[in-house]
Amino acid sequence: MIRDGDVTVNGRVIRELGTRADPVRDHVKVRGKLIQRPRRIEHWVFNKPVGMVTTMSDPERRPCVGDALGESHAFLFPVGRLDFHSSGLLVLTSDGELCDRLTHPRYHIQKTYRIKVSRAPGEEGLRRLREGVRLSDGMTGPARVRLERQAGGKAWLDITISEGRNRQVRRMLDAVGLRVEKLRRTAIGPLKLGRLSTGEARRMTASELASLRQSVGL
């Protein structure tokens, strides 16, 4: 039970019901204990390098996203995953609702990848990718696939999918006989990686956030 004098705001004893306080700016104490102030909702874009796990901490002490961003960003959480050997666009946010919608299958958020493969795919392989590939966990949905270029026996593909299965793009390419040598995510819905350097992070712009929220019905 809260008694008269138990609550203070910025050192001032509160005795009137309905007294207002800003939970971000003001120091509110109950019986001398500071109430933890909530973080502001923030949204960041990060270009994850290869050789980093998509977590804010790692018990195995592998390099992780949290190491790159530092303790001041510990309240953020990554939206979805990029595997250890993949790089590219990662969204970090403290907005749980946005995170849930971006990762929920019902919203069919498209993700685009630029991939270097061991050889140029044939027409049959491209057709299978575009129509759907049978994996151990069932058929995939159709993918948008563009052969960007070929050089020295290698090929670069742009692939867009709207599912989020574990290591899905790598498994799809393996199913049609293509070995992935490099994989970089370049877009999530309307959000683009752009020229953000590997290992760098920046705040999402207001227009980017508005477009991303609109894409999931927020």
Side-chain angles (χ1 to χ4, degrees):
M1 180 177 179
I2 303 297
R3 295 184 173 86
D4 182 28
D6 282 349
V7 179
T8 63
V9 175
N10 299 328
R12 179 170 61 91
V13 175
I14 301 303
R15 293 191 170 90
E16 297 179 8
L17 292 176
T19 300
R20 295 181 179 274
D22 185 324
V24 173
R25 294 180 302 175
D26 295 330
H27 290 259
V28 181
K29 290 185 178 181
V30 177
R31 300 191 183 101
K33 183 177 181 180
L34 180 66
I35 301 300
Q36 184 66 42
R37 292 183 288 177
R39 297 278 189 176
R40 291 186 184 277
I41 298 297
E42 294 186 12
H43 311 84
W44 287 71
V45 178
F46 179 60
N47 188 348
K48 186 189 96 65
V50 171
M52 178 178 285
V53 293
T54 311
T55 57
M56 297 307 285
S57 62
D58 184 65
E60 298 178 28
R61 297 188 177 181
R62 294 171 295 180
C64 65
V65 174
D67 295 333
L69 270 67
E71 291 187 5
S72 63
H73 295 85
F75 64 98
L76 296 171
F77 42 90
V79 178
R81 301 276 179 172
L82 272 176
D83 69 59
F84 189 77
H85 300 289
S86 299
S87 64
L89 179 60
L90 186 66
V91 170
L92 297 112
T93 183
S94 52
D95 184 339
E97 184 176 21
L98 178 61
C99 179
D100 289 344
R101 294 205 180 196
L102 286 172
T103 53
H104 199 290
R106 69 176 288 192
Y107 294 100
H108 304 289
I109 297 302
Q110 294 186 337
K111 294 170 283 291
T112 300
Y113 302 84
R114 187 174 189 270
I115 305 155
K116 180 183 178 183
V117 290
S118 54
R119 62 177 178 82
E123 286 301 318
E124 175 63 14
L126 291 174
R127 182 192 64 77
R128 290 177 62 195
L129 292 170
R130 289 166 178 157
E131 294 181 359
V133 178
R134 183 168 297 281
L135 303 178
S136 60
D137 51 356
M139 286 290 293
T140 69
R144 288 208 315 265
V145 184
R146 181 172 66 91
L147 177 58
E148 185 182 282
R149 67 186 181 95
Q150 303 178 56
K154 311 290 184 180
W156 283 258
L157 305 173
D158 280 332
I159 296 182
T160 299
I161 62 172
S162 54
E163 299 174 286
R165 305 188 203 183
N166 184 44
R167 297 172 64 86
Q168 180 175 337
V169 174
R170 290 181 182 274
R171 292 192 293 141
M172 289 174 67
L173 291 166
D174 182 65
V176 299
L178 296 173
R179 179 171 56 85
V180 173
E181 296 188 355
K182 291 182 180 180
L183 187 152
R184 179 164 58 103
R185 185 157 63 196
T186 58
I188 299 174
L191 183 65
K192 303 294 192 295
L193 179 63
R195 296 184 178 181
L196 186 65
S197 299
T198 301
E200 294 296 313
R202 64 168 176 80
R203 287 181 185 271
M204 199 179 297
T205 68
S207 61
E208 287 174 333
L209 177 58
S211 296
L212 197 60
R213 288 177 60 83
Q214 184 178 29
S215 71
V216 291
L218 290 175

